[in-house]
Structure formats: structure tokens, C-alpha cells
Amino acid sequence: MPPKKQVVEEKIQLGRPGNNLKIGVVGLPNVGKSTFFNAITNSSVPAENYPFCTIDPEESRVAVPDERLDWLFTQYKTTKLIPAYLTIIDIAGLVKGAADGAGLGNAFLSHISAVDGIFHVVRAFVDSDVVHVDDEVNPERDLETIHNELRLKDTAMLNKYIDANARNIERLGSGGTVDDKKRKEEFAIVTKVRDWVVAGNDVRKGNWTNREVDVINSQPLLTSKPVTYLANVSEKDYIRKKNKFLPIIK
């Protein structure tokens, strides 16, 4: 008899996107987040040359262009054309220590919890007229500052879960019902994820099983969200397609 065909389990993706996708614009203060937000949403929120110009998050819905939708509209001559929409949220700048509350950081980090993905804006231009929160342009440091604050917030959330459940899990011992075993498995997964983050890794970089992804998706973890990096370069560098910071960012 021929060998049985091996069934490959379809990999579950991180995240819980719905029909109303939200993406947050994240980065240090004064890197161009509000300017980018204005450009992509045709808005006019303040974009000033001082840290924390944005306090409360600005929000706008943007229609997503899709040639396939245009073709269907033309082909079937429908009366309505309803595109997909992306909700974009301009989140105030994060600074070192945000996870401990610096620069109103805890409020800003909670805004990131509410989105499905992240546009991470990093400054890749030198301009003495535009203040940098750390006094010098260093994209490598700037990226790590944001990454580290998001990991610290995730660590705090995971530790909170572990502290709240550790005693009950210990009481269950090695036996228990099906529900007890499920709770112990979930606790072990959360502990594993916490250790991964504490070691300096983002959750989305891990190689997780489908069961582990299920548990991760039940937690509002910031480093599990997909990220698009946006390098803000000078107009001159953009035209000449050359910038000394891009290799570092890449």
C-alpha cells in the first residue's frame, strides 16, 4: 500500500484582525509621525517642532485602492463602489522609560494595544532646526528604544497574568480535569512567551505552534503586532536615492 499522505496543519497567524483594520503610527517624538499621518489621510493635525505636540491620538479612515475592485465595478456595472478602509491612528511619541510612565508613556502604550498593526517611523535625516529628543540622529538607537519599551510593556502584562494565576496552577498539581489541563497548558505557554520577551525578542519573531498562537492572540501583546518600518529621509536623499542611515535601519 502507498504511504498515507501527510496532512500539513495550516499555520495560524498572529493577531486578530477584523473587517475594520486599525494601524498605529509609532516612533520617537519629532520623527515625522504627524506629518506622515497628514500626508496619508489628507488631514491637518498639528506637526510642530517640539516633543509631545500630539497628546491625544488622532484617527482617520482611508480608502484602500484596489485595481481588482475597480475591474469588478466596471465589469458588472454596479451602482455602488465600497472600498476597504484602513483606520490610521497617530500615536504620541514614545521615549525611553515609557513602559514605566515616562512622557505619559503608559497612556501612549495603551493606544498601541488597540491597533492591529504598526507603522514605525524612524528619523533618517539630519536637520539642526528639527529637535531630536536625544540630541543626535541615531536610527539604530532610536529603533531599539521603541522595541525595548514595547517589550517591557509586554513583559509587565505577561508577568501580571503569571502572578495572578501561579498559585491556582500550583494547587492543581499533576492531575485535574480537561479544563485544568488546558489552564496549565495555557499558563506554561504564557511563561514561555514571557521568557522569550525577557531575553530581548519580539513575540512576532518566535516560531510558535498553533496552540501557542491561540494563547498569544488572547493577550494584547504589543510585540506580536506586524510592523512596517518607514524611514523618514530628506527630500534631497529621496531624489538621489541615497541615504547613509538606510543600511543601518535595514
Side-chain angles (χ1 to χ4, degrees):
M1 288 180 66
K4 285 186 179 180
K5 196 171 183 181
Q6 193 172 4
V7 179
V8 179
E9 187 179 29
E10 188 176 348
K11 200 76 182 278
I12 299 175
Q13 290 189 331
L14 288 170
R16 296 168 292 171
N19 291 328
N20 181 22
L21 280 175
K22 293 184 176 183
I23 194 154
V25 185
V26 171
L28 291 175
N30 276 20
V31 295
K33 298 183 302 300
S34 295
T35 302
F36 166 73
F37 176 84
N38 285 337
I40 200 169
T41 65
N42 197 26
S43 302
S44 55
V45 304
E48 304 295 342
N49 184 21
Y50 58 85
F52 309 116
C53 170
T54 302
I55 298 294
D56 296 320
E58 298 285 346
E59 186 173 314
S60 184
R61 290 175 79 229
V62 179
V64 180
D66 191 335
E67 291 179 356
R68 298 168 301 174
L69 183 63
D70 296 336
W71 182 87
L72 288 169
F73 179 73
T74 305
Q75 186 76 9
Y76 295 100
K77 297 179 173 57
T78 58
T79 55
K80 264 188 181 178
L81 179 66
I82 304 174
Y85 281 91
L86 176 67
T87 299
I88 300 178
I89 302 170
D90 181 20
I91 296 170
L94 296 171
V95 294
K96 190 173 183 179
D100 296 321
L104 301 178
N106 273 320
F108 300 164
L109 287 164
S110 69
H111 297 150
I112 303 173
S113 292
V115 302
D116 303 297
I118 294 170
F119 281 150
H120 186 159
V121 182
V122 58
R123 179 170 168 175
F125 67 90
V126 176
D127 186 340
S128 57
D129 292 332
V130 180
V131 177
H132 191 289
V133 72
D134 289 320
D135 296 326
E136 64 168 342
V137 178
N138 183 336
E140 186 174 11
R141 178 206 56 214
D142 295 352
L143 285 168
E144 188 51 35
T145 294
I146 302 298
H147 289 164
N148 194 49
E149 293 306 319
L150 300 186
R151 285 194 291 263
L152 287 170
K153 191 64 176 179
D154 279 355
T155 301
M157 284 191 281
L158 293 165
N159 278 335
K160 187 176 179 181
Y161 172 95
I162 291 168
D163 292 343
N165 291 278
R167 190 168 293 180
N168 289 333
I169 294 299
E170 194 176 333
R171 284 199 196 104
L172 294 175
S174 57
T177 64
V178 172
D179 281 345
D180 291 340
K181 289 177 181 175
K182 187 177 177 182
R183 286 170 62 197
K184 285 191 285 187
E185 181 190 30
E186 185 173 306
F187 185 83
I189 291 170
V190 171
T191 303
K192 178 181 177 182
V193 175
R194 189 275 312 271
D195 293 345
W196 171 262
V197 176
V198 168
N201 305 300
D202 291 344
V203 174
R204 67 180 166 276
K205 299 286 188 180
N207 184 21
W208 311 108
T209 66
N210 281 352
R211 175 62 183 134
E212 289 168 340
V213 171
D214 272 336
V215 173
I216 291 168
N217 285 347
S218 70
Q219 305 282 333
L221 300 176
L222 307 183
T223 67
S224 68
K225 300 178 188 297
V227 179
T228 300
Y229 292 95
L230 305 174
N232 189 6
V233 302
S234 67
E235 186 175 355
K236 178 183 175 182
D237 283 359
Y238 180 79
I239 291 169
R240 67 183 187 141
K241 306 296 180 191
K242 193 173 181 181
N243 176 280
K244 65 180 181 180
F245 296 121
L246 290 182
I248 298 168
I249 294 169
K250 190 173 188 303

